[in-house]
Amino acid sequence: QKVSVEVLDHLEHLALVDFRDLEGVERLQKAIQFADQLHEVNTDGVEPMDSVLEDRWCLYLRADDVTEGNCTKDLLENAREKVEEYFVAPPGNIPLLKLEERDTFLQGS
Amino acid sequence: AALKDGLRSQVSAALKEGRVTPTELCQRCLALIKSTKFLNAYITVAEETALKQAEESEERYKRGQPLGILDGIPIAVKDNFNTAGIETTCASNMLKGYISPYNATVVQKLLDQGAVLLGKTNLDEFAMGSGSTDGVFGPVRNPWSYSKQYKEKSVPKSHSEDEESNWVITGGSSGGSAAAVSSFTCFAALGSDTGGSTRNPAAHCGVVGLKPTYGLISRHGLIPLVNSMDVPGILTRCVDDAAVLLGSLAGHDPKDSTTIQDDFKPFELPNLTDVSKLSIGIPKEYHAPGLSSEILALWSKAADLFKNAGAKVVEVSLPHTRYSIVCYHVLCTAEVASNMARFDGLEYGHRSDKKESTESMYAATRREGFNDVVRGRILSGNYFLLKQNYEKYFVKAQKVRRLIVNDFVKVFRSGVDILLTPTTLSDAAPYTEFIQEDNRTRSAQDDILTQAANMAGLPAINVPTALSERGLPVGLQFIGRSFEEKQLLTVAKWFEKQIQFPMIQLEEVKRHDNGVFQHQKSASFS
């Protein structure tokens, strides 16, 4: 089954990355086809594995001691737009334009 | 003490005895980098800082107080490791101009031991690929393309065709690092390995490529691809050197909570002479479709080598091998989708000029910054993570992962110590041929023999084995038990000694040849 335009549009919204062209969409189709082979494997009763280190429990909470910091200057160094100690962002809470209004390959699909 | 020095001869001893100075070594390497620029192995050459480090090292040798075996040794680092004050690009427009504010832990460890950082090596963009052909700085050329051995075997198709169109790929994604080590511009290099990215180019470039156990070496500062599989990789010209690097890098890092807390004791590799107590497993599923008859024959010969030396060689089965690459594909794209979300242009990296909203700015930044391969993986990953697909694909893949891991556990429990497999399906392809297929297809084909080790977190190493009919290197892979690097490397070293892989005969290196390079050419610094 082909992926619907609604799902493709949804993916562009979620990923904030565009398909660019037909090749991009076909790439996804092929990826899904490839992944479908997983369903040939019987996984009844098998627990999903998050980490190969699950038997050696690495994750621990360290003591709440401040051991580093004061690196504001370093952190701001690589930002293109900043004001005093703030990273400057365009206005938020504005959703990405809808499919019909957006400049995307998916338009008119 | 004298016996120890005898075993670890060559460069390190030469430095200690003053037969060569760190500055000389550094200068020779820098000069060779310049004359091998056509390989495109380096993205950034940190000439000034390298010379400064070399001078400081020289002072320490003069005082008779070198920091250790790595003091003064020129090394290269893949450009997806953060290096303070030096541009780190991941071969992507997204990070062009990004100057790291800190050193990755592994980089810091090398510098703390006096290693000289020559520069950052080229790779596939964000380490996604198996050819080192898909970065914004162009593809890396395999030094063996320019070797006497390859040139002798290649028949030009027409008189107008020259070596310009004939060159072969390095493999990837750590192609720059592999090429750098292979062409003698450094003594060792750091790569990364998520699906085979250190072992694959090691095989194609005729160098040793070690993928350590997941959790042994810190990933802090390694720009992540797949958090549950990434490891820093080690590329050297011989197994002994890989052991030295491992010794200086392994161990718990409080900044990486996925490193195990056990104490790591660096080791020297024994010179194994008796392999009769060893049990070598040959997984039959690694006789994968597309495996060249040449490599199949070499694999067989290697198995016989062990058998004739008295080792127990048994055929074993890892039944889920063929699903490994599918599983990897899903888990990798899912983790990539998550890891790449940090690139939005706000705090670092490329930023688009779009100002209407954060979302439109992020979208435009990512549109401008990422290449097709990266965008493709992000979109696939997001698809597999959609609510309606989560169980069907992501969780399913996690279950299949457990089955793959269990395959290995079963085999190692049955008494097998080490697995012996091919590393790649064939020798290096010519660039013009390689780019006929897209990145995803190539990766799926080329990773097939290497990525199960990443799935299971096991240590694995490529040992250069022989030259193919085309005069190009072919390697074989050893896979060991978790955290049993000493055994793995001991066996690899024994094998390396039996086969005596030929040295690359490069015109460029001959030109710079003098006493100093004799040390380099004798392959090891340890």
Side-chain angles (χ1 to χ4, degrees):
Chain A
Q1 317 89 299
K2 286 208 155 228
V3 183
S4 69
V5 179
E6 285 75 38
V7 173
L8 293 175
D9 179 40
H10 185 46
L11 286 174
E12 283 198 344
H13 265 93
L14 284 177
L16 288 181
V17 146
D18 64 312
F19 280 97
R20 189 73 43 103
D21 49 30
L22 186 63
E23 208 186 318
V25 176
E26 285 178 352
R27 205 175 285 133
L28 176 66
Q29 291 285 165
K30 287 203 203 113
I32 299 169
Q33 229 179 341
F34 190 66
D36 280 334
Q37 292 175 75
L38 277 181
H39 303 120
E40 296 167 21
V41 187
N42 183 343
T43 52
D44 291 341
V46 180
E47 283 297 303
M49 177 177 247
D50 288 321
S51 166
V52 294
L53 297 174
E54 58 185 13
D55 291 334
R56 298 167 165 267
W57 195 239
C58 308
L59 292 177
Y60 58 95
L61 289 176
R62 55 182 185 162
D64 189 13
D65 297 324
V66 176
T67 52
E68 54 182 347
N70 287 323
C71 48
T72 315
K73 190 165 167 291
D74 287 334
L75 293 178
L76 288 172
E77 201 68 43
N78 280 298
R80 226 190 73 175
E81 292 192 33
K82 50 202 175 212
V83 166
E84 290 175 21
E85 293 186 349
Y86 294 88
F87 294 109
V88 179
N93 277 328
I94 300 174
L96 209 60
L97 293 174
K98 286 213 185 66
L99 183 59
E100 311 81 60
E101 296 150 20
R102 204 161 86 233
D103 176 20
T104 166
F105 162 74
L106 299 174
Q107 219 183 68
S109 296
Chain B
L3 202 60
K4 217 167 148 184
D5 281 343
L7 284 174
R8 293 174 155 212
S9 54
Q10 294 146 0
V11 177
S12 222
L15 281 170
K16 274 213 204 99
E17 291 159 25
R19 281 182 276 131
V20 69
T21 67
T23 329
E24 277 167 2
L25 265 187
C26 182
Q27 280 165 344
R28 297 298 177 186
C29 285
L30 289 171
L32 191 57
I33 292 174
K34 282 201 182 90
S35 64
T36 52
K37 215 163 170 201
F38 54 88
L39 293 177
N40 203 19
Y42 288 81
I43 294 176
T44 303
V45 181
E47 187 160 341
E48 269 180 50
T49 52
L51 285 168
K52 188 159 169 285
Q53 286 159 9
E55 275 164 27
E56 287 166 6
S57 170
E58 199 158 312
E59 284 304 308
R60 290 190 291 267
Y61 274 104
K62 280 199 189 123
R63 292 198 305 268
Q65 293 169 338
L67 293 167
I69 212 168
L70 287 178
D71 205 334
I73 302 290
I75 48 133
V77 170
K78 187 175 181 183
D79 208 14
N80 60 352
F81 285 92
N82 276 285
T83 43
I86 299 174
E87 197 181 359
T88 300
T89 66
C90 293
S92 175
N93 279 318
M94 190 58 91
L95 287 177
K96 252 193 193 163
Y98 167 72
I99 311 280
S100 310
Y102 71 107
N103 280 322
T105 297
V106 288
V107 172
Q108 191 61 54
K109 284 189 166 185
L110 289 174
L111 294 174
D112 286 344
Q113 289 170 64
V116 172
L117 177 54
L118 291 172
K120 310 298 290 296
T121 57
N122 205 351
L123 59 156
D124 281 304
E125 182 161 338
F126 279 110
M128 299 186 199
S130 59
S132 302
T133 52
D134 277 322
V136 289
F137 298 102
V140 185
R141 300 186 181 200
N142 192 328
W144 284 83
S145 313
Y146 304 94
S147 68
K148 189 154 171 256
Q149 291 105 326
Y150 178 63
K151 287 194 211 168
E152 276 171 359
K153 297 296 181 86
S154 44
V155 180
K157 292 187 188 72
S158 71
H159 61 82
S160 61
E161 195 182 88
D162 57 358
E163 56 191 34
E164 274 309 296
S165 44
N166 222 11
W167 60 271
V168 297
I169 58 164
T170 49
S173 61
S174 311
S177 285
V181 174
S182 169
S183 60
F184 302 99
T185 59
C186 62
F187 285 82
L190 290 185
S192 66
D193 197 312
T194 307
S197 290
T198 288
R199 292 160 286 154
N200 175 293
H204 287 318
C205 294
V207 298
V208 171
L210 171 63
K211 174 214 166 292
T213 310
Y214 179 85
L216 186 61
I217 299 187
S218 172
R219 292 181 299 111
H220 175 75
L222 165 62
I223 295 172
L225 190 61
V226 183
N227 298 73
S228 70
M229 297 186 215
D230 287 350
V231 291
I234 292 168
L235 293 137
T236 56
R237 287 194 283 276
C238 68
V239 179
D240 263 329
D241 289 357
V244 172
L245 263 287
L246 183 70
S248 63
L249 296 177
H252 178 63
D253 181 13
K255 292 182 183 169
D256 178 356
S257 59
T258 59
T259 52
I260 58 160
Q261 302 199 44
D262 302 9
D263 273 325
F264 176 80
K265 289 190 194 60
F267 47 78
E268 248 182 78
L269 294 176
N271 274 321
L272 188 65
T273 45
D274 175 21
V275 293
S276 61
K277 293 190 193 67
L278 213 55
S279 173
I280 308 282
I282 310 286
K284 63 182 188 195
E285 291 86 1
Y286 278 64
H287 185 351
L291 186 66
S292 81
S293 48
E294 260 187 324
I295 297 194
L296 182 61
L298 273 172
W299 187 19
S300 202
K301 243 172 120 182
D304 288 341
L305 191 71
F306 278 100
K307 210 183 295 176
N308 295 334
K312 184 166 168 229
V313 179
V314 285
E315 189 189 75
V316 295
S317 176
L318 297 167
H320 295 93
T321 299
R322 70 193 181 92
Y323 294 107
S324 183
I325 192 74
V326 186
C327 184
Y328 174 72
H329 164 73
V330 173
L331 294 179
C332 174
T333 50
E335 293 210 37
V336 160
S338 172
N339 278 320
M340 295 293 128
R342 72 191 68 198
F343 297 106
D344 55 22
L346 265 189
E347 295 132 354
Y348 44 74
H350 173 69
R351 178 178 176 139
S352 159
D353 289 327
K354 268 199 152 243
K355 294 189 198 321
E356 290 76 38
S357 66
T358 46
E359 294 227 347
S360 69
M361 189 276 273
Y362 295 168
T365 295
R366 292 155 73 78
R367 184 197 178 95
E368 294 159 19
F370 291 139
N371 73 1
D372 287 347
V373 178
V374 179
R375 286 195 344 270
R377 292 204 193 183
I378 294 172
L379 288 163
S380 301
N382 273 290
Y383 179 83
F384 298 132
L385 292 172
L386 287 175
K387 240 189 291 202
Q388 68 254 39
N389 296 329
Y390 193 78
E391 284 285 332
K392 234 176 84 171
Y393 290 98
F394 183 69
V395 176
K396 179 77 178 179
Q398 286 191 310
K399 292 180 179 178
V400 174
R401 182 175 189 175
R402 185 178 293 286
L403 292 176
I404 293 165
V405 171
N406 287 346
D407 279 357
F408 281 105
V409 169
K410 268 197 213 108
V411 162
F412 283 127
R413 249 190 220 144
S414 74
V416 166
D417 299 306
I418 303 272
L419 296 169
L420 168 63
T421 80
T423 312
T424 55
L425 294 176
S426 67
D427 57 5
Y431 175 71
T432 46
E433 191 185 297
F434 184 79
I435 52 173
Q436 304 276 336
E437 292 276 9
D438 73 275
N439 184 293
R440 194 194 61 84
T441 312
R442 281 296 181 206
S443 298
Q445 292 165 347
D446 301 333
D447 288 347
I448 223 159
L449 301 169
T450 47
Q451 62 72 231
N454 298 87
M455 262 317 164
L458 299 171
I461 186 170
N462 171 76
V463 180
T465 306
L467 293 186
S468 69
E469 264 177 36
R470 289 162 66 216
L472 294 172
V474 164
L476 289 176
Q477 174 179 237
F478 293 92
I479 305 174
R481 290 199 184 98
S482 276
F483 302 105
E484 302 271 350
E485 269 80 351
K486 186 168 180 189
Q487 182 182 54
L488 177 70
L489 291 171
T490 301
V491 174
K493 182 176 166 179
W494 180 88
F495 182 68
E496 175 188 63
K497 212 159 160 204
Q498 309 305 310
I499 52 176
Q500 305 278 322
F501 182 75
M503 189 157 310
I504 186 174
Q505 287 162 44
L506 273 178
E507 274 307 309
E508 299 306 327
V509 176
K510 271 217 208 104
R511 233 174 275 155
H512 287 267
D513 204 350
N514 60 17
V516 169
F517 270 88
Q518 278 312 316
H519 299 299
Q520 287 219 64
K521 284 182 94 171
S522 14
S524 104
F525 61 77
S526 66

